[in-house]
Amino acid sequence: MSSGKNNMPNTFQLKVPANACCYDSRIEIVSGHKYRFTVTGSWVDFHDDPVNANGNNHPGGIRNFMGWAKRAPEVPWMALLIRSKSKFSTSDWRWVGNGESFVADLPAGMLELCANDVVGFYRNNSGTLIVTVTDITKEN
């Protein structure tokens, strides 16, 4: 997180809106560091029931045939995804889920987050997930 200096805070809390196609956290991921992601809250795709960061494997309707079009086809609809992006490269989307915590070793870059939906169809989403990101490198 921000250049990895010791005087920087190691925990950040983000409010990630469901309708953000790609939420820029403004958190700099430091290469080689490990991060814990803890998630609460729920969000909604169109008029579906609310889901947590685990998403929904079978939301019904046309989406039963459109899974290939999601950002991460193997991950449930509306699951929380993360990646890091630098001016040189962008990592693949990774599924965080809704467990107590998820530890990720991401490549260097800015942290981005989103719901697993189809690009161009975020405007009908609502709700917010609260994502706490903690650099746990010194804990290990």
Side-chain angles (χ1 to χ4, degrees):
M1 313 183 126
S2 249
S3 74
K5 294 182 181 174
N6 291 335
N7 62 348
M8 298 303 290
N10 68 349
T11 299
F12 297 85
Q13 190 171 73
L14 308 170
K15 293 181 179 180
V16 182
N19 63 357
C21 183
C22 190
Y23 179 80
D24 179 1
S25 70
R26 304 204 191 296
I27 296 173
E28 183 181 346
I29 297 297
V30 178
S31 181
H33 282 219
K34 292 201 178 289
Y35 299 91
R36 179 184 304 123
F37 295 81
T38 307
V39 186
T40 61
S42 63
W43 50 21
V44 176
D45 184 1
F46 196 52
H47 294 296
D48 292 345
D49 291 334
V51 297
N52 61 26
N54 284 332
N56 184 348
N57 281 317
H58 306 288
I62 192 169
R63 287 170 296 180
N64 286 341
F65 308 101
M66 296 294 294
W68 57 270
K70 297 180 288 186
R71 289 185 182 265
E74 69 285 357
V75 176
W77 289 94
M78 297 301 288
L80 177 63
L81 302 176
I82 61 171
R83 71 177 179 187
S84 58
K85 183 177 182 179
S86 73
K87 58 183 169 182
F88 304 109
S89 67
T90 301
S91 71
D92 291 333
W93 287 107
R94 298 184 189 184
W95 181 15
V96 173
N98 203 50
E100 287 185 17
S101 65
F102 168 85
V103 178
D105 183 7
L106 294 166
M110 300 305 289
L111 177 67
E112 297 181 335
L113 307 93
C114 73
N116 193 25
D117 204 351
V118 177
V119 174
F121 288 86
Y122 281 82
R123 66 188 167 279
N124 66 358
N125 298 344
S126 61
T128 302
L129 293 183
I130 307 301
V131 181
T132 302
V133 182
T134 305
D135 183 338
I136 61 168
T137 304
K138 293 180 181 179
E139 293 178 14
N140 293 329

